[in-house]
Amino acid sequence: MVRVHLYTGKGEGKTLTALGLAMRSIGHNRKVIMVQFMKGREDVGEFKVQKKLRLLEIHQFGRKGFVDLENPSKLDKKKAKKGIKFANEVLKKKIDVLILDEVNLAARIGLISEDDVLDLIKKADKKTLIILTGRDAPKSFHKIADLITDMREIKHPYYKGEKAKKGIEN
Amino acid sequence: MVRVHLYTGKGEGKTLTALGLAMRSIGHNRKVIMVQFMKGREDVGEFKVQKKLRLLEIHQFGRKGFVDLENPSKLDKKKAKKGIKFANEVLKKKIDVLILDEVNLAARIGLISEDDVLDLIKKADKKTLIILTGRDAPKSFHKIADLITDMREIKHPYYKGEKAKKGIEN
């Protein structure tokens, strides 16, 4: 079976753990593709670092602004569905690590269906590591994951009113 | 005040989050130094990826094998103390991100003292981001951290008896 890692919870470290795994894998000369849902900003550190790492590819399937979680737009859904289609295409090639970033929340709010993700995982090569990130992961994702970490937020500077700092939170 | 991130708990993702932050920072052309305590293996992915990233430096202050947590050796302590000394030296230079990997556990089991770490943080430049990782972080670290995530292990393939896989767990 495919190995599936699930990183969820409200705390900092979900996407970052995926990026850390990407880094570790690239150290071992493995190819990593990250598909980002609900995100569309090329000024983030992970997007910029691509230029320095031949084995990393990041593809974004979201708009620049935040998605209205209660009432996502048609464009948000359209973009997320494109992300799933792209991920399916990518899995046909030989690929070591596929990161589906923010996919948990995207499924939770209905931008894509849970089955979109479960089907994709079923079809994937056994050797491909698939990483799912995002808070509020659906139960069906918990069920099929081999490793799950719940990132619990204990303290966050956000509460003190600090703004995001470049290279740390983006 | 220096910005301090603390990643603790038993779940996967502490060192990986630090590596992810490193990657994001490097994307913004920031210099990252990781000091690894209790670790001394050059075959791990993060150590190998250094060759591909000019802005990343990893320095290990541990032996190859595991540290006996109940009864750490003199060599383990000596190496960890060297790590603290090195980190103090490094902070004198202009550095954007300093990762003290596994430092929480190193302090918890007495390889170094909590004050070694607290003093180091006090002396650091305000602009330096300091990241502390490792399970069982001492209370004093919780107190001074600006951001804390507790990585809770929900499911781990270790329980199914799988061995570590290259590029994933090391």
Side-chain angles (χ1 to χ4, degrees), chain B residues 55-135:
Chain B
L55 290 165
L56 177 69
E57 267 182 40
I58 300 186
H59 302 266
Q60 298 183 326
F61 295 90
R63 290 179 297 106
K64 265 191 183 174
F66 286 105
V67 173
D68 181 349
L69 301 183
E70 304 295 321
N71 191 20
S73 72
K74 277 186 186 173
L75 181 61
D76 291 328
K77 286 187 188 180
K78 197 179 159 189
K79 280 186 178 276
K81 280 184 200 310
K82 268 195 182 171
I84 289 293
K85 200 179 163 191
F86 176 82
N88 272 299
E89 286 303 314
V90 146
L91 280 174
K92 289 180 190 164
K93 297 175 209 165
K94 188 175 161 61
I95 170 181
D96 300 306
V97 182
L98 175 67
I99 301 167
L100 301 175
D101 188 40
E102 217 62 82
V103 76
N104 299 337
L105 191 56
R108 173 66 77 178
I109 66 167
L111 295 187
I112 51 171
S113 73
E114 294 177 30
D115 278 341
D116 284 339
V117 181
L118 299 174
D119 287 349
L120 191 145
I121 290 169
K122 252 181 234 162
K123 277 188 261 170
D125 187 280
K126 283 182 193 174
K127 286 180 189 160
T128 301
L129 169 67
I130 296 182
I131 301 169
L132 314 175
T133 80
R135 59 188 167 93

Coordinates of all heavy atoms in Angstrom, one line a residue, chain B residues 55-135:
Chain B
L55 N 22.9 28.4 1.5 CA 22.5 29.2 2.7 C 22.2 28.3 4.0 O 21.8 28.8 5.0 CB 21.3 30.0 2.4 CG 21.5 31.2 1.5 CD1 20.2 31.8 1.0 CD2 22.3 32.3 2.2
L56 N 22.4 27.0 3.8 CA 22.1 26.1 5.0 C 23.4 25.5 5.5 O 24.2 25.0 4.7 CB 21.2 24.9 4.5 CG 20.8 23.9 5.6 CD1 20.0 24.4 6.7 CD2 20.1 22.7 4.9
E57 N 23.5 25.5 6.8 CA 24.7 24.8 7.4 C 24.1 23.9 8.6 O 23.3 24.4 9.4 CB 25.6 25.9 8.1 CG 26.7 26.4 7.3 CD 27.6 27.3 8.1 OE1 27.8 27.1 9.3 OE2 27.9 28.4 7.5
I58 N 24.6 22.7 8.6 CA 24.2 21.8 9.7 C 25.4 21.3 10.4 O 26.4 20.9 9.8 CB 23.3 20.6 9.2 CG1 22.1 21.1 8.5 CG2 23.0 19.7 10.3 CD1 21.1 20.1 8.1
H59 N 25.4 21.5 11.7 CA 26.5 21.0 12.5 C 26.0 20.1 13.6 O 25.1 20.4 14.4 CB 27.2 22.2 13.2 CG 27.7 23.3 12.2 ND1 29.0 23.3 11.7 CD2 27.0 24.3 11.6 CE1 29.1 24.3 10.9 NE2 27.9 24.9 10.8
Q60 N 26.6 18.9 13.6 CA 26.1 17.8 14.6 C 27.0 17.7 15.8 O 28.3 17.7 15.7 CB 26.1 16.5 13.8 CG 25.1 16.5 12.6 CD 25.0 15.2 11.9 OE1 26.0 14.4 11.8 NE2 23.8 14.9 11.4
F61 N 26.4 17.6 16.9 CA 27.1 17.5 18.2 C 26.6 16.3 18.9 O 26.1 16.4 20.1 CB 27.0 18.7 19.0 CG 27.7 19.9 18.3 CD1 27.0 20.7 17.5 CD2 29.1 20.1 18.5 CE1 27.6 21.8 16.8 CE2 29.7 21.2 17.9 CZ 29.0 22.0 17.0
G62 N 26.7 15.1 18.3 CA 26.3 13.9 18.9 C 27.0 12.7 18.3 O 27.7 12.9 17.3
R63 N 26.8 11.5 18.9 CA 27.4 10.3 18.4 C 26.5 9.7 17.3 O 25.3 10.1 17.2 CB 27.6 9.3 19.5 CG 28.7 9.6 20.5 CD 28.8 8.6 21.5 NE 27.5 8.5 22.3 CZ 26.6 7.5 22.2 NH1 26.8 6.5 21.4 NH2 25.5 7.5 23.0
K64 N 26.9 8.7 16.7 CA 26.1 8.0 15.7 C 24.9 7.2 16.4 O 23.8 7.3 15.9 CB 26.9 7.0 14.9 CG 27.4 7.5 13.6 CD 28.0 6.4 12.7 CE 28.6 7.0 11.4 NZ 29.3 6.1 10.6
G65 N 25.2 6.5 17.4 CA 24.1 5.7 18.1 C 23.1 6.5 18.9 O 23.2 7.8 19.0
F66 N 22.2 5.8 19.5 CA 21.2 6.5 20.4 C 21.8 6.8 21.7 O 22.6 6.1 22.2 CB 20.0 5.6 20.6 CG 19.1 5.6 19.3 CD1 19.1 4.4 18.5 CD2 18.3 6.7 19.0 CE1 18.3 4.4 17.4 CE2 17.5 6.6 17.8 CZ 17.5 5.5 17.0
V67 N 21.4 7.9 22.3 CA 21.8 8.3 23.7 C 20.9 7.5 24.7 O 19.7 7.4 24.5 CB 21.6 9.8 23.9 CG1 21.9 10.2 25.4 CG2 22.5 10.6 23.0
D68 N 21.6 6.9 25.7 CA 20.8 6.3 26.7 C 20.2 7.4 27.6 O 20.9 8.0 28.4 CB 21.8 5.4 27.6 CG 21.1 4.7 28.7 OD1 19.9 5.0 29.0 OD2 21.7 3.8 29.3
L69 N 18.9 7.5 27.5 CA 18.2 8.7 28.1 C 18.3 8.6 29.6 O 18.3 9.6 30.3 CB 16.7 8.7 27.7 CG 16.5 8.9 26.2 CD1 15.0 9.0 25.9 CD2 17.2 10.1 25.6
E70 N 18.3 7.4 30.2 CA 18.3 7.2 31.6 C 19.8 7.5 32.2 O 19.9 7.9 33.3 CB 17.9 5.8 32.0 CG 16.6 5.4 31.5 CD 15.4 6.2 32.1 OE1 15.5 6.5 33.3 OE2 14.5 6.6 31.4
N71 N 20.7 7.2 31.3 CA 22.1 7.2 31.8 C 23.0 7.6 30.7 O 23.8 6.9 30.2 CB 22.5 5.8 32.3 CG 23.8 5.8 33.0 OD1 24.2 6.8 33.5 ND2 24.4 4.6 33.1
P72 N 23.0 8.9 30.3 CA 23.8 9.4 29.2 C 25.3 9.4 29.5 O 25.6 9.5 30.7 CB 23.3 10.9 29.0 CG 22.6 11.2 30.2 CD 22.1 10.0 30.8
S73 N 26.1 9.1 28.6 CA 27.6 9.0 28.8 C 28.2 10.4 28.9 O 27.7 11.4 28.6 CB 28.2 8.2 27.7 OG 28.3 9.0 26.5
K74 N 29.5 10.4 29.4 CA 30.2 11.6 29.5 C 30.5 12.2 28.2 O 30.5 13.4 28.0 CB 31.6 11.3 30.2 CG 31.5 11.3 31.7 CD 32.9 11.1 32.4 CE 32.8 10.9 33.9 NZ 34.1 10.6 34.5
L75 N 30.7 11.3 27.2 CA 30.9 11.8 25.8 C 29.7 12.5 25.3 O 29.8 13.5 24.6 CB 31.3 10.6 24.9 CG 31.6 10.9 23.4 CD1 32.8 11.8 23.3 CD2 31.8 9.7 22.6
D76 N 28.5 12.0 25.6 CA 27.3 12.6 25.2 C 27.2 14.0 25.7 O 26.8 15.0 25.0 CB 26.1 11.8 25.6 CG 25.9 10.5 24.9 OD1 26.3 10.4 23.7 OD2 25.4 9.5 25.5
K77 N 27.5 14.2 27.0 CA 27.5 15.5 27.6 C 28.5 16.4 27.0 O 28.2 17.6 26.8 CB 27.7 15.4 29.1 CG 26.5 14.8 29.9 CD 26.7 14.8 31.4 CE 25.6 14.0 32.1 NZ 25.7 14.0 33.5
K78 N 29.7 15.9 26.8 CA 30.8 16.7 26.3 C 30.4 17.3 24.9 O 30.6 18.4 24.6 CB 32.1 15.8 26.2 CG 33.3 16.6 26.0 CD 34.5 15.6 26.0 CE 35.7 16.3 25.3 NZ 36.8 15.4 25.1
K79 N 29.9 16.4 24.1 CA 29.5 16.8 22.7 C 28.4 17.9 22.8 O 28.4 18.9 22.1 CB 29.1 15.6 21.9 CG 30.2 14.8 21.4 CD 29.8 13.7 20.4 CE 30.9 12.9 19.8 NZ 31.5 13.5 18.7
A80 N 27.4 17.6 23.6 CA 26.3 18.6 23.7 C 26.8 20.0 24.2 O 26.4 21.0 23.7 CB 25.2 18.0 24.7
K81 N 27.7 19.9 25.2 CA 28.2 21.2 25.7 C 29.0 22.0 24.5 O 28.9 23.2 24.4 CB 29.1 21.0 26.9 CG 28.3 20.8 28.2 CD 29.2 20.6 29.4 CE 28.4 20.0 30.5 NZ 27.1 20.6 30.8
K82 N 29.7 21.2 23.7 CA 30.4 21.8 22.6 C 29.4 22.4 21.6 O 29.6 23.5 21.0 CB 31.1 20.7 21.8 CG 32.6 20.5 22.2 CD 33.4 19.7 21.2 CE 34.8 19.5 21.6 NZ 35.5 18.6 20.7
G83 N 28.2 21.8 21.5 CA 27.1 22.3 20.7 C 26.7 23.7 21.1 O 26.5 24.6 20.4
I84 N 26.5 23.8 22.5 CA 26.1 25.1 23.1 C 27.2 26.2 22.8 O 26.8 27.3 22.4 CB 25.9 24.9 24.6 CG1 24.6 24.1 24.8 CG2 25.8 26.3 25.3 CD1 23.3 24.8 24.4
K85 N 28.4 25.8 23.0 CA 29.5 26.7 22.8 C 29.5 27.2 21.3 O 29.6 28.4 21.1 CB 30.8 26.0 23.1 CG 32.0 27.0 23.4 CD 33.3 26.2 23.7 CE 34.5 27.2 23.6 NZ 35.7 26.4 23.7
F86 N 29.3 26.2 20.4 CA 29.3 26.6 19.0 C 28.2 27.5 18.7 O 28.3 28.5 18.0 CB 29.2 25.3 18.2 CG 29.0 25.6 16.7 CD1 30.2 25.8 15.9 CD2 27.8 25.6 16.1 CE1 30.0 26.1 14.6 CE2 27.7 25.9 14.7 CZ 28.8 26.1 14.0
A87 N 27.0 27.2 19.3 CA 25.8 28.1 19.0 C 26.0 29.5 19.5 O 25.7 30.5 18.9 CB 24.6 27.5 19.7
N88 N 26.7 29.6 20.7 CA 27.0 31.0 21.2 C 28.0 31.7 20.2 O 27.8 32.9 20.0 CB 27.7 30.8 22.6 CG 26.7 30.8 23.7 OD1 25.9 31.8 23.9 ND2 26.6 29.7 24.4
E89 N 28.9 31.0 19.7 CA 29.8 31.6 18.7 C 29.1 32.1 17.5 O 29.3 33.2 17.0 CB 30.9 30.6 18.3 CG 32.0 30.4 19.4 CD 32.7 31.7 19.8 OE1 33.1 32.5 19.0 OE2 32.8 31.9 21.1
V90 N 28.3 31.2 17.0 CA 27.5 31.5 15.8 C 26.6 32.8 15.9 O 26.5 33.5 15.0 CB 26.7 30.2 15.4 CG1 25.3 30.6 14.8 CG2 27.5 29.3 14.5
L91 N 26.0 32.9 17.1 CA 25.1 34.0 17.3 C 25.8 35.4 17.3 O 25.2 36.4 17.1 CB 24.4 33.9 18.7 CG 23.2 32.9 18.6 CD1 22.6 32.7 20.0 CD2 22.1 33.4 17.7
K92 N 27.1 35.4 17.4 CA 27.9 36.6 17.4 C 27.9 37.2 16.0 O 28.0 38.4 15.7 CB 29.3 36.4 17.9 CG 29.4 36.2 19.4 CD 30.8 36.0 19.8 CE 30.9 35.5 21.3 NZ 32.2 34.9 21.6
K93 N 27.8 36.3 15.0 CA 27.8 36.7 13.6 C 26.4 37.1 13.2 O 25.4 36.7 13.9 CB 28.2 35.5 12.7 CG 29.7 35.1 12.9 CD 30.0 33.9 12.1 CE 31.0 33.0 12.7 NZ 31.1 31.6 12.1
K94 N 26.2 37.7 12.1 CA 24.9 38.0 11.6 C 24.2 36.7 11.1 O 24.7 36.1 10.1 CB 25.0 39.0 10.4 CG 23.7 39.6 9.9 CD 23.9 40.6 8.9 CE 22.7 40.9 8.1 NZ 21.6 41.4 8.9
I95 N 23.2 36.3 11.8 CA 22.5 35.1 11.3 C 21.0 35.2 11.5 O 20.5 35.8 12.4 CB 23.1 33.9 12.2 CG1 22.2 32.6 11.9 CG2 23.1 34.2 13.6 CD1 22.7 31.4 12.7
D96 N 20.3 34.7 10.5 CA 18.8 35.0 10.4 C 18.1 33.9 11.3 O 17.2 34.3 12.0 CB 18.4 34.9 9.0 CG 19.0 36.0 8.1 OD1 19.0 37.2 8.5 OD2 19.6 35.7 7.1
V97 N 18.5 32.7 11.1 CA 17.7 31.6 11.7 C 18.7 30.6 12.4 O 19.6 30.1 11.7 CB 16.8 30.8 10.7 CG1 16.0 29.7 11.5 CG2 15.9 31.8 10.0
L98 N 18.5 30.4 13.7 CA 19.3 29.4 14.4 C 18.4 28.3 14.9 O 17.5 28.5 15.6 CB 20.1 30.0 15.6 CG 20.8 29.0 16.4 CD1 22.0 28.4 15.7 CD2 21.3 29.7 17.7
I99 N 18.6 27.1 14.4 CA 17.8 25.9 14.8 C 18.6 25.1 15.8 O 19.7 24.7 15.5 CB 17.4 25.0 13.7 CG1 16.6 25.8 12.6 CG2 16.6 23.8 14.1 CD1 16.4 25.1 11.3
L100 N 18.1 24.9 17.0 CA 18.7 24.1 18.0 C 17.9 22.8 18.1 O 16.9 22.6 18.8 CB 18.7 24.8 19.4 CG 19.5 26.1 19.4 CD1 19.3 26.8 20.8 CD2 20.9 25.9 19.1
D101 N 18.3 21.8 17.2 CA 17.6 20.6 17.0 C 17.8 19.6 18.2 O 19.0 19.3 18.5 CB 18.0 20.0 15.7 CG 17.1 18.8 15.3 OD1 15.9 18.9 15.5 OD2 17.6 17.8 14.8
E102 N 16.7 19.1 18.7 CA 16.7 18.1 19.8 C 17.2 18.7 21.1 O 17.6 18.0 22.1 CB 17.6 16.9 19.4 CG 17.1 15.6 19.8 CD 15.7 15.2 19.3 OE1 15.6 14.7 18.2 OE2 14.7 15.4 20.0
V103 N 17.3 20.0 21.2 CA 17.8 20.7 22.4 C 16.9 20.5 23.6 O 17.3 20.5 24.7 CB 18.1 22.2 22.1 CG1 16.8 23.0 22.1 CG2 19.0 22.8 23.1
N104 N 15.6 20.4 23.3 CA 14.6 20.2 24.4 C 14.9 18.9 25.2 O 15.0 19.0 26.5 CB 13.2 20.1 23.9 CG 12.7 21.3 23.2 OD1 13.3 22.4 23.4 ND2 11.8 21.2 22.3
L105 N 15.1 17.8 24.5 CA 15.4 16.6 25.2 C 16.8 16.6 25.8 O 17.0 16.1 26.9 CB 15.3 15.4 24.2 CG 15.3 14.0 24.7 CD1 14.2 13.8 25.8 CD2 15.1 13.0 23.6
A106 N 17.7 17.2 25.1 CA 19.1 17.3 25.6 C 19.1 18.0 27.0 O 19.9 17.6 27.9 CB 20.0 18.0 24.6
A107 N 18.3 19.1 27.1 CA 18.2 19.8 28.4 C 17.4 18.9 29.4 O 17.8 18.9 30.6 CB 17.5 21.1 28.2
R108 N 16.4 18.3 28.9 CA 15.6 17.5 29.8 C 16.4 16.4 30.5 O 16.2 16.1 31.7 CB 14.4 16.9 29.0 CG 13.5 15.9 29.8 CD 12.8 16.6 30.9 NE 11.6 17.3 30.5 CZ 10.8 17.9 31.3 NH1 10.9 17.9 32.6 NH2 9.8 18.6 30.8
I109 N 17.3 15.7 29.8 CA 18.0 14.6 30.4 C 19.4 15.1 30.9 O 20.2 14.3 31.4 CB 18.3 13.4 29.4 CG1 19.2 13.9 28.2 CG2 16.9 12.9 28.8 CD1 19.7 12.7 27.3
G110 N 19.6 16.4 30.9 CA 20.8 16.9 31.6 C 22.1 16.9 30.8 O 23.2 17.0 31.4
L111 N 22.0 16.7 29.5 CA 23.3 16.8 28.7 C 23.8 18.2 28.8 O 25.0 18.5 28.8 CB 23.1 16.4 27.3 CG 22.7 15.0 26.9 CD1 22.6 14.8 25.4 CD2 23.6 14.0 27.6
I112 N 22.9 19.2 28.8 CA 23.2 20.6 29.0 C 22.2 21.1 30.0 O 21.3 20.4 30.4 CB 23.0 21.4 27.7 CG1 21.6 21.1 27.1 CG2 24.1 21.0 26.7 CD1 21.3 21.9 25.9
S113 N 22.4 22.3 30.5 CA 21.5 22.8 31.5 C 20.4 23.7 30.8 O 20.7 24.2 29.7 CB 22.2 23.7 32.6 OG 22.6 24.9 32.0
E114 N 19.3 23.9 31.4 CA 18.3 24.8 30.8 C 18.8 26.2 30.7 O 18.6 26.9 29.7 CB 17.0 24.8 31.7 CG 16.3 23.4 31.7 CD 15.1 23.4 32.7 OE1 14.5 24.5 32.9 OE2 14.8 22.3 33.2
D115 N 19.6 26.6 31.7 CA 20.2 27.9 31.6 C 21.2 28.1 30.4 O 21.3 29.2 29.9 CB 20.9 28.3 32.9 CG 20.0 28.7 34.0 OD1 18.8 29.1 33.7 OD2 20.3 28.7 35.2
D116 N 21.8 27.1 30.0 CA 22.7 27.1 28.9 C 21.9 27.7 27.7 O 22.4 28.6 26.9 CB 23.2 25.7 28.4 CG 24.3 25.2 29.3 OD1 25.0 26.1 30.0 OD2 24.6 24.0 29.4
V117 N 20.7 27.2 27.5 CA 19.8 27.6 26.4 C 19.2 29.0 26.6 O 19.2 29.8 25.8 CB 18.7 26.5 26.2 CG1 17.8 26.9 25.0 CG2 19.4 25.1 26.0
L118 N 18.7 29.2 27.9 CA 18.1 30.5 28.2 C 19.1 31.6 28.0 O 18.7 32.7 27.5 CB 17.5 30.4 29.6 CG 16.4 29.4 29.8 CD1 16.0 29.3 31.3 CD2 15.2 29.6 28.9
D119 N 20.3 31.4 28.5 CA 21.3 32.5 28.4 C 21.6 32.8 26.9 O 21.8 33.9 26.5 CB 22.6 32.0 29.0 CG 22.5 32.0 30.6 OD1 21.5 32.6 31.1 OD2 23.4 31.4 31.2
L120 N 21.7 31.7 26.1 CA 22.0 31.8 24.7 C 20.9 32.7 24.0 O 21.2 33.6 23.2 CB 22.0 30.4 24.1 CG 22.5 30.1 22.8 CD1 23.2 28.8 22.8 CD2 21.4 30.1 21.8
I121 N 19.7 32.4 24.4 CA 18.6 33.1 23.8 C 18.6 34.6 24.2 O 18.4 35.5 23.4 CB 17.2 32.5 24.2 CG1 17.1 31.1 23.5 CG2 16.1 33.4 23.8 CD1 16.0 30.2 23.9
K122 N 18.9 34.8 25.5 CA 19.0 36.2 26.0 C 20.0 37.0 25.2 O 19.8 38.2 24.9 CB 19.4 36.2 27.5 CG 18.3 36.5 28.4 CD 18.7 36.5 29.9 CE 17.8 35.6 30.7 NZ 18.5 35.2 31.9
K123 N 21.2 36.4 24.9 CA 22.3 37.1 24.3 C 22.0 37.3 22.8 O 22.7 38.2 22.2 CB 23.6 36.3 24.4 CG 24.3 36.6 25.8 CD 25.6 35.9 25.8 CE 25.6 34.6 26.5 NZ 26.8 33.8 26.4
A124 N 21.1 36.6 22.2 CA 21.0 36.6 20.7 C 20.4 38.0 20.2 O 19.7 38.6 20.9 CB 20.0 35.5 20.3
D125 N 20.8 38.3 19.0 CA 20.3 39.5 18.3 C 18.7 39.4 18.2 O 18.2 38.3 18.0 CB 20.9 39.6 17.0 CG 20.6 40.9 16.3 OD1 19.5 41.0 15.7 OD2 21.4 41.8 16.3
K126 N 18.1 40.5 18.3 CA 16.6 40.5 18.3 C 16.0 40.0 17.0 O 14.9 39.5 16.9 CB 16.1 41.9 18.5 CG 16.1 42.4 19.9 CD 15.5 43.8 20.0 CE 15.8 44.4 21.4 NZ 15.4 45.8 21.5
K127 N 16.8 40.1 15.9 CA 16.3 39.8 14.6 C 16.5 38.3 14.3 O 16.0 37.8 13.3 CB 17.0 40.6 13.5 CG 16.5 42.0 13.5 CD 17.3 42.8 12.4 CE 17.0 44.3 12.5 NZ 18.0 45.1 11.8
T128 N 17.2 37.6 15.2 CA 17.5 36.2 14.9 C 16.3 35.3 15.4 O 15.8 35.5 16.5 CB 18.7 35.7 15.6 OG1 19.8 36.5 15.2 CG2 19.0 34.2 15.4
L129 N 15.8 34.5 14.5 CA 14.7 33.5 14.9 C 15.4 32.3 15.4 O 16.3 31.7 14.8 CB 13.9 33.1 13.6 CG 12.9 32.0 13.8 CD1 11.8 32.3 14.8 CD2 12.3 31.5 12.5
I130 N 15.0 31.9 16.6 CA 15.6 30.7 17.2 C 14.5 29.6 17.4 O 13.4 29.9 17.9 CB 16.2 31.1 18.6 CG1 17.3 32.1 18.5 CG2 16.7 29.8 19.3 CD1 18.0 32.4 19.8
I131 N 14.9 28.5 16.9 CA 13.9 27.4 16.9 C 14.4 26.2 17.8 O 15.5 25.8 17.6 CB 13.7 26.8 15.5 CG1 13.1 28.0 14.6 CG2 12.7 25.7 15.4 CD1 13.1 27.7 13.1
L132 N 13.6 25.9 18.7 CA 13.9 24.8 19.6 C 13.1 23.6 19.3 O 11.9 23.7 19.2 CB 13.7 25.2 21.1 CG 14.1 26.6 21.6 CD1 13.7 26.8 23.0 CD2 15.6 26.7 21.5
T133 N 13.7 22.4 19.1 CA 12.9 21.2 18.8 C 13.3 20.1 19.8 O 14.3 20.1 20.5 CB 13.1 20.7 17.4 OG1 14.4 19.9 17.4 CG2 13.2 21.7 16.4
G134 N 12.4 19.1 19.9 CA 12.6 17.9 20.7 C 11.5 17.7 21.7 O 10.8 18.7 22.1
R135 N 11.3 16.5 22.0 CA 10.1 16.2 22.9 C 10.5 16.6 24.3 O 11.7 16.9 24.6 CB 9.7 14.8 22.8 CG 10.7 13.7 23.2 CD 10.1 12.3 22.8 NE 11.1 11.3 22.8 CZ 11.4 10.5 23.8 NH1 10.8 10.7 25.0 NH2 12.3 9.6 23.7

